[in-house]
Amino acid sequence: MSDAQISAYADAAYGIAAAEGNIGEVEDELFRLGRVLQTNDELRGPLTDAHLPVERRAQIVEDLLDGKATRTTVSFASMLVSAGRIGDLAAIAEAMAQRSAASRGETVAEVRSAVPLTDAQLAELARALKARTNIDVTIRNVVDPTVMGGVVTQIGDSVLDGSVRTRLNQLREAF
């Protein structure tokens, strides 16, 4: 899907969530669902299978999210399934997060870590990133078991790799 289409879907999701008064919640739910779809072939397969009827694919999303997400998120995800765009959800959610953060004068940082970071760790990291970038930062923590320790932070095109693996590699190269 083109960047313009992703932006259009992200703007639509943002507008609907703003009208419903639940931007933060919808943004978080779409982000999490997008991550699940990226990493779970058993779920992504049926949702993107054009051979399954659209109604069945939409029902899968509704059953999956029932009681776990806002009605806004469920409806938006079902609409993406119907439009054949559910595979683009991660990119749409990211664009929505960027749009939402920009409306607050912030930027979004994706922080990958082996385990979920605590609220205190996220707050400290946000302070450190603000000191480095001179802008408020909204952090999206992604649990990534390939990160052996430490964190890998991406803000836009910039990557700050503070993982143990990278530090060990740097030590190997130095000697």
Side-chain angles (χ1 to χ4, degrees):
M1 181 183 317
S2 74
D3 288 345
Q5 290 172 314
I6 288 171
S7 292
Y9 278 106
D11 288 346
Y14 179 85
I16 293 165
E20 295 288 325
N22 56 4
I23 294 171
E25 203 172 1
V26 170
E27 180 183 332
D28 188 55
E29 291 168 352
L30 290 176
F31 174 79
R32 290 178 190 279
L33 180 59
R35 287 290 172 209
V36 168
L37 288 175
Q38 280 184 318
T39 60
N40 188 324
D41 293 335
E42 289 180 38
L43 180 59
R44 185 179 55 250
L47 292 179
T48 58
D49 185 352
H51 295 96
L52 284 177
V54 171
E55 298 80 20
R56 176 67 185 127
R57 289 184 279 150
Q59 189 62 52
I60 292 170
V61 167
E62 291 175 16
D63 291 346
L64 175 71
L65 298 177
D66 187 37
K68 299 175 187 142
T70 61
R71 189 71 213 144
T72 306
T73 298
V74 174
S75 296
F76 188 75
S78 293
M79 185 272 307
L80 288 177
V81 167
S82 297
R85 301 292 186 200
I86 195 67
D88 297 313
L89 179 59
I92 292 166
E94 177 62 29
M96 181 191 177
Q98 294 291 344
R99 166 104 164 65
S100 181
S103 74
R104 297 185 306 270
E106 300 176 355
T107 191
V108 176
E110 180 179 293
V111 176
R112 291 185 297 124
S113 59
V115 296
L117 299 178
T118 66
D119 289 341
Q121 290 169 321
L122 291 171
E124 180 60 31
L125 185 55
R127 279 192 292 278
L129 290 172
K130 180 178 181 174
R132 184 175 177 134
T133 63
N134 220 15
I135 189 168
D136 288 324
V137 178
T138 299
I139 295 178
R140 295 278 180 232
N141 185 206
V142 176
V143 176
D144 181 352
T146 65
V147 177
M148 292 173 36
V151 296
V152 178
T153 304
Q154 181 169 356
I155 302 174
D157 293 337
S158 299
V159 176
L160 307 169
D161 192 340
S163 66
V164 171
R165 176 177 290 152
T166 296
R167 290 183 180 175
L168 288 172
N169 287 339
Q170 289 170 341
L171 282 173
R172 262 190 229 116
E173 291 172 9
F175 294 103

